[in-house]
Structures are given as structure tokens and as C-alpha cells.
Amino acid sequence: MAKSYSPSVNIVRDAKQKLSYLPTQNAQRVFGQIVDNYLSGVHCFNIVGAYGTGKSAFLWAFQQTLKKKHEYFKTEVGFKKVKSFRFERFIGQYASLKETFARHFINDGNAETTTEYILLAIELQYRELAKKGTALVLLIDEFGKFLEYAAKESPEDELYFIQELAEYINDPSRDIMLVTTVHQDLSAYAVSLGRTQRQEWEKVKGRLKELTFNEPVEQLLMLAAQQLASLPRSTVANPTTNARLFEAIEKAQAFPLRDYFTLEMQQQLWPLDLLAAAVLVQALQRYGQNERSLFSFLQSNDYLGLEQQAVQGTYYHMSLVYDYLSFHYYSLLTSRYNPHFAQWAIIRSTLDQIEKYLEEATDLETAKQLIKTIGLLSIFAPAGAEISNEFLEVYTQTSLGQSTAAPILKLLQQHKIVRFVPHKNSFILFEGTDLDIEVAIDEAGSLVEQVTDVAKRLREFFTFPYIAAKQVSFERGTPRIFEVQMTDDVLLVEPRGEVDGFVNLIFSDTLTIDKLQQTVGSRNEAVLYGIYQRSGDIKKLIREIDKVRKVREENLNDKVARRELNSILEHQEALLRHYVIDSLYAQDGAIAWFFNGPVPVNFLGRRSFNRCLSAIASYVYPSTPVYRSELVNKTKLSSPIQTARKNFMRALFEKWQQSD
């Protein structure tokens, strides 16, 4: 019988069918957990995973492997001395699990259906199987439906049956196994129950070993590659084109997944291009049913799917992915419940606009493809991706199969359909505003003041926490606390109170290490000085932020412009944090450090920085006694300890007076 594809798997209906199944690392891990736990004495398992992650298909492959019809999973260890397996399969329904088991295992309709009698019937069947070296495996798919019935109709009776069933099966001397699947944690089915009943529910949950079954999106990409590689191909990817496309994606940092970004994966995914495949699996995970939706795309003859749209020798690209998703998930994508509702609405609106600007059929088709590509990448690409002229030109020529993108992009910019964002080096879809943002920001330069007091302005953006010098505090028992101070000149204030020292961050275009040494002189204070070498760049960046804020204030009613300006501000503020905070521990020469001598201070990373503060505290406070009690140096003791100390000191003083 030929292998077939089904949009869903039914462990009863498909028990004797030959289905297409590709085991993932996650599925192999769950199988391994079942084997290991079974050998250690745990025989009841509950597989928890979201809808469509392949739990039913896993149970089907689990059966096929144990019955030795197909080795989907590695079984080097095996199940003790079990020679074969007998499977009893159940599909969840809103009914009594106890009554379902009674009908299945008790042939006599007039017999008792008590928990004890049902377990006896299972035991009799097990004994007959045990004589042949056969293990009994109970599979319950959609177990949650039985639990819903139990919670609403008969909590005590049903829970008692499940608890006794699990106790019976978990006996290590019996070769019996129970495997169930649910979509959510068992506790979620007990929300409506009383406190006592929920406690009983937790007892039942504790008797089932919980196994998580959620496929990472990277695994879906690997599944797609394996499935496509197994299909007969009349064409293969051009190696030169493949390499050029891969390099463009790599340079643009547009690949949205963590793993499987390799040229080999690009070749295996043919005719899908690597970027389109990554976007597709992300979209199917968010809008569809993960693995089930992916196999529907790969194996069925869906409208606009891989089989219908792929032209011989060409890629299935981003534009085709957009068409497929728009058709098959239209109701979700146009719903307010879609987390990307606004982005999809912008793409549709932009596509509706371009026909009145472009008359050439070829130009119109290329423009639509570019808009769909830019739109999808705005949703799924990493935040740092650069969807630039260079990237879009290569993608157009290699994947989209068009001659060039440059003239079409120019036309789209002229008609304000797309906009190039310089600080991101990326094209975005233009939603429509009369404000020329770049020009407005440039003109705002005459309306904002020059930045003079950099440190004062930086305090608007950052609040540094106090820093505890850990090593010296641990060794001496006395906490040593440093405060971060941002100034435009050298800080000459002595530490007081609970502050033992300062980290003085200096932002000055004129201050040098020599001048700093002259100013500090012979002072022996616990101050670590750091002179920013890029204070001029920081000053310019603060002024750019002021300009953008000014433009935003003047265009509060323009929602589109305000959103674009907010995006620019987020980028500039992130860059400012990089200049100021990230440079503290970096070895890029951005800060020149100095403490009590002509030799510059150097350290590698956050830990080294903290050890430097400990060394400063040890140098400045050499006579600090070593305390073994962590209560001694508390600034403020709790009331009982404070009272005890007062009483002790009073008694000591009185005793001393008496001795005189």
C-alpha cells in the first residue's frame, strides 16, 4: 500500500495505514523519555502539546516502531524482555472514561462496571498476553475530552477510576503502559472544581509522567527540507544562483530563525528559497497548526500551493508565500485577533494603490512581488535585517526571476508607496503622509538648541543602579558600594554615608588623561574615572533625538508620521544606550579609565570591572577589619536585633562601672 497524506491522524482509523511521517528531534526525545522512564518503573505518560504539533502522528509512529513495521525511532535499549506489543486504542470524547473502558474490556453486558471489575478484566487480558511475552499498551488520544467530562459530570467517580488505573499500570512488575495526549496542562481541566477536588486532581496528575511535545519552528524547517528532499525532482537548483541568493540573505541578516541557515539547507529546500521557507514555517506556526499545516502545504495539491505554483526551474519565493497565506488564512489575517493585523492591512492597502501608478504589466507584476516581499519581511525578519537596494536587487534576480528591481523601487519611492529608512538601511511600506520626514528632521536643526551639558542630558535617559564591590565585601564582611556619577568635568566630591566610592563617567571633548591626573593630584579617594572618547558623537546623537522629538511634537495629529518618528526615536535611543552603557565593559577603546596613578586601568567584561572596584576599595580602605558575622555591618538592624544589642551594651556598661 502506498504511503498517503492525511490532514489529520486518527490512531484507530489509521492503525493499519501507511502514512508519511518524519520524526523530529523533539519526537525522538519524547520516545527516548518513554523508554527510559518505563525501564525505571514509570509506566503512565501524558504528552502535552499545542494543537497540530503532531501528537497523534507521534502515537501512530510509536505503534509502528514497537510493532516493528517501521523503525521511526531508535530502540537500542528496548523494553526489558518484551517480545511484542498489543495496542488498545481510544479516541477522546465527551463521555465517561470508566464506561468506555468497561465496554471495551468487559464482554458481558450484564456484568458489573465497578472500578475493581474493570481492572480485573484488564488484568485477565494482560495475563494471557504475558504468557506470550507480549506487553499491553493503552493509547488515549485527545485525553482532555474525557477529562472535561470528568470535571463537569462526575469528578469523584471518574478521578477515582483514573487514579486506580494509573496505580495498577505503574506496577513495575507488569508490562503494561498508558500513553495519553492533551492540549494543555491537566490542572487547566480542574479550574471549575472546588479546592478538595482540585487536590484530588493534582494527585491524579502526579501519577502520569508529563512529557512536553512542542515542535520548535526550526524543526518545521528541517521537516520541510527532509520532505522536499524525498520527493522526485525534475529540476535542481542552480548552484551559482543558490550561492548568490544565500550570500545576499546572509549579508542582509534577514534569516529569521536561529538554526539551519546553511547553503546545504538551501539546496535541500528546492524549489522553496531559504528565506521564503523560513517565513512560511513561522507563519504556519502562528496562523495554522504547525506540522499539520506544513504537510498540507508540502504534500496536498492546495490552490496556490507548492505543486500548483512552482514553475520548472524557478523558486517558490516570498511573493508566492504571501499569496498562499492570504488565500488559505484570509479570515484570520483580516481579523482583529491576528497579532499582525495592522501589517497585513498595510500590505493589502499598498497593493491596491499601485495599479493607478504603474501601467506596464511587467512593471506592475514586479512591483507587486517587491511589495509582498518587503511586507512579509517587515513582519517576520529580525529587527536588524537590512532590506536594502542591494538585497532586493539580488533577490529579484535570483528568486523572483525578474531582470532588475532598481527602476521599480525608484518609481515606488517617487509615488510614496515604499520608503527607504536610512538608519535601518531598509525599505518599508509607506502608509501615506504628506510630511517628508527626513527634510522635516533636517529643518528642525534650526529650532533646537546645541547640546552643551551632556551629562545632564544623559540623566534624562539613564539611571544607573548602585554597584556593590562583591569580592572585597565577601572577604572583609563590610559592604562596599559605588555610585555612578555622570559629569562634564572631574568629580572631586568625597564619598559619604553609605556610598564608599564613585564611578565617574566624564563626557568632555577637551579633558585628557594628563589633565585628569593634574586635577586629581594626590587625592586618595575611591573614585574610578572613565573619560568617554566619543563624547562628541554622543552630543550629536542627543541633538538628533531632540530634532526628532521636535518634529513629532509638531505633527501629533499625523498618525503615520508619528509612528515613523517613534520608530526613529527607538533606534536612536538604542544607539545612545550602546554608546553609553554597552561601552562600560567593552574593550573597544571607547572609554579611557584611570585611578590614582599614571597607568590606565584595564579590565575584560563585567566581572573584571567589579573586581577592579574591589581592588580600589581594598586600596583606599586598607584598615577595614574582617568581620565574620554578616549582621555586624548592617546599616539598620531589625527591631529585635537592635533591642538585643542595646540591652547587651547597657549590661556591659553597667558591669564595667561596677568593676571600677
Side-chain angles (χ1 to χ4, degrees):
M1 185 180 296
K3 291 184 179 181
S4 60
Y5 165 74
S6 174
S8 63
V9 175
N10 184 301
I11 61 172
V12 176
R13 179 197 65 200
D14 300 326
K16 297 182 180 180
Q17 299 293 324
K18 290 185 178 180
L19 305 180
S20 177
Y21 182 80
L22 293 174
T24 63
Q25 294 178 4
N26 177 58
Q28 179 64 57
R29 176 183 56 80
V30 172
F31 181 86
Q33 286 180 302
I34 291 176
V35 175
D36 294 341
N37 282 277
Y38 182 87
L39 295 175
S40 65
V42 179
H43 292 183
C44 295
F45 305 94
N46 183 45
I47 299 175
V48 184
Y51 289 96
T53 50
K55 299 184 298 299
S56 299
F58 170 79
L59 291 185
W60 177 88
F62 181 73
Q63 298 175 71
Q64 299 295 312
T65 300
L66 296 190
K67 295 178 77 171
K68 299 182 179 179
K69 291 186 175 181
H70 193 294
E71 190 178 359
Y72 289 107
F73 306 109
K74 297 177 181 179
T75 56
E76 293 89 350
V77 179
F79 290 84
K80 299 181 180 178
K81 298 179 181 180
V82 175
K83 297 179 180 179
S84 60
F85 294 85
R86 167 70 179 272
F87 287 91
E88 300 292 346
R89 310 170 190 87
F90 303 87
I91 302 294
Q93 53 186 316
Y94 189 76
S96 166
L97 179 65
K98 179 181 176 182
E99 293 179 6
T100 301
F101 269 50
R103 288 193 301 269
H104 187 86
F105 290 102
I106 302 175
N107 296 325
D108 186 357
N110 297 321
E112 295 183 56
T113 58
T114 62
T115 296
E116 292 75 13
Y117 201 81
I118 296 171
L119 294 181
L120 177 60
I122 297 174
E123 173 68 14
L124 291 175
Q125 180 174 326
Y126 161 70
R127 288 178 183 177
E128 290 299 318
L129 294 172
K131 294 176 183 178
K132 306 173 186 177
T134 301
L136 177 61
V137 182
L138 309 179
L139 301 181
I140 308 178
D141 199 11
E142 304 286 351
F143 184 48
K145 293 179 181 178
F146 286 122
L147 295 177
E148 289 175 4
Y149 177 89
K152 293 181 181 179
E153 306 295 340
S154 183
E156 290 81 5
D157 193 35
E158 290 294 315
L159 283 180
Y160 176 73
F161 172 72
I162 298 173
Q163 183 174 336
E164 290 299 306
L165 177 67
E167 291 282 2
Y168 168 78
I169 294 175
N170 273 328
D171 185 343
S173 66
R174 296 188 179 99
D175 283 320
I176 305 181
M177 186 190 309
L178 171 66
V179 182
T180 66
T181 66
V182 293
H183 300 307
Q184 57 185 340
D185 184 76
L186 289 187
S187 302
Y189 296 96
V191 173
S192 60
L193 299 179
R195 180 180 177 183
T196 303
Q197 291 174 326
R198 285 200 302 270
Q199 290 175 344
E200 291 297 319
W201 205 276
E202 289 296 323
K203 289 170 62 178
V204 171
K205 177 183 175 182
R207 286 162 173 77
L208 302 175
K209 174 67 176 179
E210 187 173 290
L211 304 175
T212 303
F213 196 95
N214 279 325
E215 297 286 5
V217 67
E218 287 81 5
Q219 292 298 317
L220 297 182
L221 186 68
M222 184 270 288
L223 279 177
Q226 289 182 349
Q227 184 64 30
L228 290 171
S230 67
L231 298 176
R233 301 183 182 185
S234 56
T235 60
V236 294
N238 182 291
T240 304
T241 305
N242 233 10
R244 187 182 177 207
L245 175 59
F246 180 82
E247 290 172 4
I249 298 171
E250 183 178 36
K251 185 176 180 180
Q253 301 178 32
F255 190 70
L257 307 181
R258 292 176 297 178
D259 303 318
Y260 301 115
F261 183 58
T262 64
L263 188 56
E264 291 74 22
M265 178 62 68
Q266 168 71 82
Q267 293 167 345
Q268 293 174 26
L269 285 167
W270 171 263
L272 277 165
D273 82 54
L274 185 59
L275 189 57
V279 168
L280 175 69
V281 295
Q282 280 195 110
L284 292 179
Q285 189 182 58
R286 298 183 186 185
Y287 310 139
Q289 287 194 342
N290 299 347
E291 185 180 338
R292 190 177 301 169
S293 299
L294 177 62
F295 275 96
S296 179
F297 172 81
L298 295 174
Q299 297 183 341
S300 65
N301 194 23
D302 278 348
Y303 176 65
L304 299 176
L306 194 60
E307 291 187 18
Q308 287 200 356
Q309 288 296 104
V311 180
Q312 293 293 324
T314 61
Y315 285 102
Y316 191 96
H317 46 69
M318 295 282 291
S319 177
L320 296 175
V321 169
Y322 173 87
D323 294 339
Y324 178 84
L325 295 173
S326 295
F327 181 82
H328 291 278
Y329 300 98
Y330 178 81
S331 59
L332 174 63
L333 297 179
T334 56
S335 167
R336 293 284 179 179
Y337 294 104
N338 173 18
H340 306 128
F341 170 80
Q343 292 96 318
W344 282 91
I346 292 169
I347 301 174
R348 291 193 298 271
S349 174
T350 306
L351 290 171
D352 291 340
Q353 296 178 40
I354 63 172
E355 293 190 14
K356 61 183 178 182
Y357 297 118
L358 301 173
E359 298 179 356
E360 294 287 339
T362 304
D363 292 349
L364 182 60
E365 180 59 27
T366 305
K368 287 183 177 180
Q369 291 178 342
L370 286 170
I371 288 169
K372 294 171 185 177
T373 300
I374 295 170
L376 282 183
L377 289 176
S378 70
I379 300 173
F380 296 104
E386 297 183 353
I387 315 305
S388 61
N389 275 294
E390 182 181 357
F391 167 76
L392 290 174
E393 184 68 24
V394 175
Y395 193 80
T396 299
Q397 294 176 0
T398 55
S399 190
L400 299 181
Q402 304 293 344
S403 58
T404 182
I408 306 300
L409 284 173
K410 188 175 181 180
L411 281 172
L412 293 176
Q413 284 182 278
Q414 289 176 355
H415 295 296
K416 294 186 177 181
I417 294 174
V418 301
R419 187 169 72 86
F420 184 74
V421 183
H423 69 269
K424 291 184 177 181
N425 193 28
S426 290
F427 279 95
I428 63 171
L429 299 183
F430 196 70
E431 299 175 55
T433 175
D434 295 329
L435 179 68
D436 191 324
I437 294 176
E438 281 75 20
V439 173
I441 293 174
D442 187 55
E443 291 177 349
S446 60
L447 303 176
V448 298
E449 298 178 356
Q450 294 287 343
V451 177
T452 54
D453 193 340
V454 177
K456 180 180 179 181
R457 294 300 312 278
L458 285 175
R459 284 192 283 272
E460 299 175 14
F461 299 95
F462 311 115
T463 301
F464 285 94
Y466 290 96
I467 303 173
K470 297 179 181 178
Q471 182 177 344
V472 69
S473 299
F474 175 77
E475 291 176 349
R476 299 285 181 137
T478 301
R480 292 301 182 190
I481 306 299
F482 283 75
E483 180 182 353
V484 179
Q485 289 274 10
M486 294 184 290
T487 62
D488 286 318
D489 206 344
V490 182
L491 182 70
L492 299 175
V493 179
E494 292 184 11
R496 292 185 178 181
E498 296 184 6
V499 176
D500 302 290
F502 294 108
V503 177
N504 183 202
L505 305 180
I506 305 171
F507 301 88
S508 173
D509 296 329
T510 58
L511 186 66
T512 63
I513 290 289
D514 292 338
K515 188 174 181 180
L516 174 63
Q517 292 173 346
Q518 294 175 6
T519 305
V520 174
S522 59
R523 291 168 58 88
N524 190 28
E525 303 293 345
V527 182
L528 176 64
Y529 297 96
I531 305 175
Y532 273 79
Q533 306 297 304
R534 304 173 67 175
S535 60
D537 293 337
I538 294 172
K539 187 182 296 185
K540 291 177 183 177
L541 186 55
I542 294 174
R543 190 163 187 268
E544 287 299 313
I545 292 174
D546 289 342
K547 289 159 63 176
V548 175
R549 286 177 172 176
K550 184 66 176 178
V551 175
R552 186 178 62 175
E553 289 174 7
E554 295 177 347
N555 296 273
L556 291 177
N557 295 325
D558 191 332
K559 293 182 179 179
V560 175
R562 191 171 71 244
R563 183 161 57 247
E564 292 296 326
L565 290 165
N566 285 337
S567 176
I568 295 172
L569 274 176
E570 288 176 6
H571 170 78
Q572 291 177 333
E573 289 173 0
L575 186 60
L576 188 63
R577 285 193 295 273
H578 171 70
Y579 281 169
V580 178
I581 297 179
D582 295 348
S583 297
L584 277 177
Y585 316 109
Q587 291 295 305
D588 56 1
I591 306 177
W593 295 98
F594 166 80
F595 168 73
N596 196 36
V599 181
V601 177
N602 294 307
F603 43 81
L604 298 172
R606 189 182 297 268
R607 289 185 179 180
S608 180
F609 176 79
N610 198 275
R611 284 196 293 268
C612 177
L613 298 185
S614 291
I616 291 173
S618 297
Y619 178 83
V620 176
Y621 306 108
S623 302
T624 306
V626 177
Y627 292 98
R628 300 300 181 188
S629 173
E630 60 184 19
L631 297 177
V632 174
N633 281 318
K634 279 194 171 183
T635 303
K636 184 177 181 181
L637 298 175
S638 58
S639 297
I641 297 175
Q642 196 168 10
T643 303
R645 186 180 68 173
K646 287 180 179 178
N647 292 337
F648 172 75
M649 294 301 295
R650 185 182 299 109
L652 185 66
F653 181 72
E654 291 174 355
K655 198 73 174 176
W656 176 72
Q657 283 185 324
Q658 292 174 5
S659 64
D660 286 347

